[in-house]
Amino acid sequence: MSTESTDPVEPPAAVAPAPEEAGTDESPKKNWLKFVIVGLLAVVLVGGGVWALTSLGGVKVGDCVSASPKDVDKPDGEWNISSQGCGDTAATHRVAALLDNAEDQCPAEGIYEQMQADGGKSMCLMPNLAEGNCYTSSDDGAFKKEACTTESPVKIVKKVDGLPEEGSVCPEGSSELRFSEPASVYCMGVHEGS
């Protein structure tokens, strides 16, 4: 005789999950894990940001920098570069262009210093000149802003954006200093003291 039942077998009832406890308290283990994840993300983001800043010295086209050769006798060697405000007297250069490859050259028209940056890139620096300011040339070849006196060797008497025809924009008695990037003309004259 068989002991099996002929009654239909019902599937076991589904077990409902226990309701979560009301409240916002999380376990200490979850809080610690969140802290570690947020900390790691912060390190990755800040580290990536620092890498991006140092890979090109933290500068972009139009920014001003203080730039001078580490050794005045070797202007083609390493340079000291630090970011400056364009109105600062220490801001000797302006970033004219960023080049993707170290083999690329700065524009031909103008006075540019080509600086190597990390990652095979380089930048073209032009003198940081402004209309109305007087400058002297230092031993390292950079133009240094100075107070305008009757002794001042160079005064920027006019600045023109763009590259108009040569000899068409500067006042008589001044000479042109032309840059193709950014396209601009600086009219250099002498300060006539008052």
Side-chain angles (χ1 to χ4, degrees), residues 28-76:
K29 189 175 184 178
K30 284 185 181 179
N31 282 336
W32 179 82
L33 186 59
K34 279 185 180 180
F35 177 75
V36 169
I37 290 172
V38 168
L40 286 174
L41 286 174
V43 168
V44 168
L45 292 175
V46 169
V50 168
W51 176 84
L53 289 175
T54 58
S55 67
L56 285 174
V59 297
K60 59 187 181 300
V61 171
D63 285 354
C64 291
V65 296
S66 171
S68 62
K70 287 185 178 183
D71 183 349
V72 176
D73 294 330
K74 297 179 183 175
D76 293 338

Side-chain angles (χ1 to χ4, degrees), residues 6-194:
T6 58
D7 293 333
V9 176
E10 290 186 29
V15 178
E20 290 186 23
E21 291 183 27
T24 58
D25 291 338
E26 294 182 7
S27 72
K29 189 175 184 178
K30 284 185 181 179
N31 282 336
W32 179 82
L33 186 59
K34 279 185 180 180
F35 177 75
V36 169
I37 290 172
V38 168
L40 286 174
L41 286 174
V43 168
V44 168
L45 292 175
V46 169
V50 168
W51 176 84
L53 289 175
T54 58
S55 67
L56 285 174
V59 297
K60 59 187 181 300
V61 171
D63 285 354
C64 291
V65 296
S66 171
S68 62
K70 287 185 178 183
D71 183 349
V72 176
D73 294 330
K74 297 179 183 175
D76 293 338
E78 291 184 38
W79 282 53
N80 295 314
I81 297 177
S82 63
S83 186
Q84 303 287 332
C86 289
D88 192 322
T89 56
T92 56
H93 294 79
R94 185 179 298 260
V95 179
L98 297 174
L99 307 173
D100 289 332
N101 299 302
E103 295 82 31
D104 291 345
Q105 297 296 308
C106 291
E109 187 170 23
I111 302 172
Y112 298 99
E113 293 288 344
Q114 188 161 341
M115 301 291 116
Q116 300 302 313
D118 294 340
K121 297 185 181 227
S122 60
M123 58 182 139
C124 301
L125 302 179
M126 64 185 282
N128 178 31
L129 305 174
E131 185 174 325
N133 289 343
C134 293
Y135 299 89
T136 188
S137 180
S138 63
D139 291 340
D140 60 18
F143 285 96
K144 303 259 184 186
K145 184 179 171 184
E146 66 174 28
C148 290
T149 68
T150 54
E151 306 291 316
S152 297
V154 174
K155 180 176 183 177
I156 304 300
V157 295
K158 186 176 181 181
K159 179 196 182 251
V160 178
D161 292 327
L163 284 174
E165 184 180 331
E166 279 191 55
S168 66
V169 296
C170 288
E172 189 174 325
S174 64
S175 59
E176 292 183 353
L177 180 55
R178 300 170 67 86
F179 292 91
S180 55
E181 199 171 319
S184 51
V185 177
Y186 293 88
C187 302
M188 299 189 316
V190 293
H191 177 68
E192 298 182 19
S194 46

